[in-house]
Amino acid sequence: MTDSAEAPLSAPDLRYGIPGLPPGPSSPMIEAMLAHRSYRNFLDRPLEPGALETIVAAASSAPSSSNMQTWSVVAVEDPAWKDRLATLAGNQGFIRQAPLFLCWIADLSRLDRMGQAHQQQLAGLDYLESFMVALVDAALASQNALLAAQSIGLGGVYVGALRNRPPEVAAELALPPRAFAAFGLAVGWPDTEARAEVKPRLPQSLVLHRETYGTAGEEAAVAAYDRVLAGFSEANGMGRADWTGRMLKRVAGPESLSGRHTMAETLRAMGFPLK
Ligand SMILES: Cc1cc2nc3c(=O)[nH]c(=O)nc-3n(C[C@H](O)[C@H](O)[C@H](O)COP(=O)(O)O)c2cc1C
C-alpha cells in the first residue's frame, strides 16, 4: 500500500504543501483558485481580441463598498510605456515581457470631479476611511480580473513595486489628484517551460479562527510551515531560506519597505489628506 506521504496531494492539500484537509465540496471555480500561481515568464504572443474588455467586465463584477466603485484600471500595452513603468517598478523584466500591464488605481478622483460638477466640496473624501474603501475596491476588482484571466488560460503576477515611486508613476499614467496606482498586474500567456508551481500557504490553523481569535499552537505551526516552504523554495531553485527568516527581514525596519516608508506623506501630496 502506498504511504499517504508519498501519494499525490489533492488540490486543497497542494495548496498547503501537506496532506490533511478533510474532504469538502469543490467546483471548477474552487479548483481554479486552488491552482493559482504567479507567472513571471510570458510568451511573445498577444492577447486575443476582447480579452482585456472581458477581464475588466469580471473586475467590474466585484462587489464594491456602497457601490461607490472607487477604482479604475489603466491598461498599458505600449512597449515604451511598459518599459518606463518596469523601470519605475523595481526594473522587473516580466512587465516588459507581458503583453498587458494593468495598473490598478485607488480612485477617489471621480467622486471628487462629481462633487465639483455639483458645486459640492466632498469633505468625506479627505478621510483615511475613504482611501481604505478605494484600496479595498481596487483589490477586489483586480483579483476578479486575475481569476478571469487565469480561467481563459492566461497567467499573471501582481506588482507591488508600482508603489516604489508613486509621483513618477502618477505622471506616467497621467493620474489626477486623488488617484493612486496601488499595484500592477502583468498579464500574458504563461511560458509553461518556466517553472511555476503552486506555492504552499500558511496552514489553516494559523489563519482560520473559530468564534474568537486564538494563538495557541502558533509557534509550532509556523515552524512546520517554515519547513514546508523551505522545501518548496529549494525544489524551485530559490535557496532554502525559511518563511520566518524572510518575513522578519521583510518588515525589519523602514529600510526594508523599498522606499515606501514615506507613503503617508506621499499620499498626502497626491491629494489624500488621510484625516
Ligand atoms: C499586492 C501584491 C504585490 C506583489 N508584488 C510583486 C512584485 O512586485 N514582484 C513579484 O515578483 N511578485 C509580486 N507579488 C507576487 C507575490 O510574490 C506572490 O503572490 C506570492 O509570493 C505568492 O506566490 P503565488 O502567487 O505564486 O502563490 C505580489 C503579490 C501581491 C498580492
Side-chain angles (χ1 to χ4, degrees):
M1 218 174 94
T2 319
D3 188 282
S4 67
E6 288 168 13
L9 295 174
S10 67
D13 287 342
L14 197 58
R15 178 41 75 205
Y16 297 104
I18 42 170
L21 267 198
S26 194
S27 69
M29 188 185 281
I30 291 171
E31 291 291 325
M33 287 172 166
L34 295 181
H36 159 78
R37 75 233 27 210
S38 292
Y39 286 97
R40 297 179 178 82
N41 295 278
F42 300 101
L43 301 178
D44 184 14
R45 176 179 165 190
L47 303 192
E48 58 199 290
L52 169 63
E53 292 78 4
T54 300
I55 289 169
V56 172
S60 291
S61 304
S64 161
S65 186
S66 303
N67 202 24
M68 291 162 85
Q69 304 173 70
T70 47
W71 65 276
S72 291
V73 63
V74 181
V76 180
E77 294 174 284
D78 183 298
W81 239 275
K82 277 190 292 160
D83 180 52
R84 289 195 297 275
L85 288 168
T87 304
L88 293 174
N91 211 21
Q92 301 188 80
F94 57 74
I95 298 172
R96 297 184 182 94
Q97 208 183 40
L100 174 65
F101 187 53
L102 296 172
C103 298
W104 295 92
I105 314 299
D107 191 359
L108 296 178
S109 78
R110 191 163 36 239
L111 290 178
D112 196 20
R113 287 189 293 279
M114 285 162 58
Q116 286 169 28
H118 290 264
Q119 286 88 44
Q120 276 185 44
Q121 211 199 334
L122 304 177
L125 295 179
D126 293 350
Y127 289 83
L128 173 61
E129 162 62 10
S130 294
F131 181 71
M132 287 168 71
V133 163
L135 211 50
V136 171
D137 271 359
L140 295 176
S142 68
Q143 182 57 16
N144 259 23
L146 177 58
L147 287 170
Q150 289 178 163
S151 75
I152 53 172
L154 300 168
V157 59
Y158 281 105
V159 179
L162 197 63
R163 293 193 302 278
N164 287 1
R165 292 158 70 179
E168 285 135 296
V169 168
E172 204 57 69
L173 302 177
L175 299 183
R178 297 194 198 254
F180 172 64
F183 46 84
L185 180 64
V187 179
W189 295 101
D191 179 355
T192 44
E193 299 281 296
R195 200 168 174 154
E197 306 283 347
V198 171
K199 188 185 283 183
R201 294 294 198 260
L202 289 170
Q204 289 203 355
S205 68
L206 287 171
V207 298
L208 170 61
H209 305 265
R210 293 181 190 268
E211 279 40 271
T212 56
Y213 192 100
T215 59
E218 187 170 73
E219 247 180 80
V222 169
Y225 181 62
D226 276 337
R227 289 191 291 278
V228 169
L229 209 62
F232 172 87
S233 300
E234 195 172 34
N236 287 277
M238 298 185 275
R240 218 188 135 76
D242 64 22
W243 185 74
T244 296
R246 282 191 195 155
M247 292 307 109
L248 297 184
K249 213 169 141 201
R250 175 67 180 78
V251 287
E255 69 290 347
S256 43
L257 299 183
S258 308
R260 302 178 215 159
H261 59 290
T262 55
M263 191 58 78
E265 278 165 48
T266 304
L267 285 170
R268 288 195 175 101
M270 294 175 74
F272 300 94
L274 307 180
K275 285 182 184 168

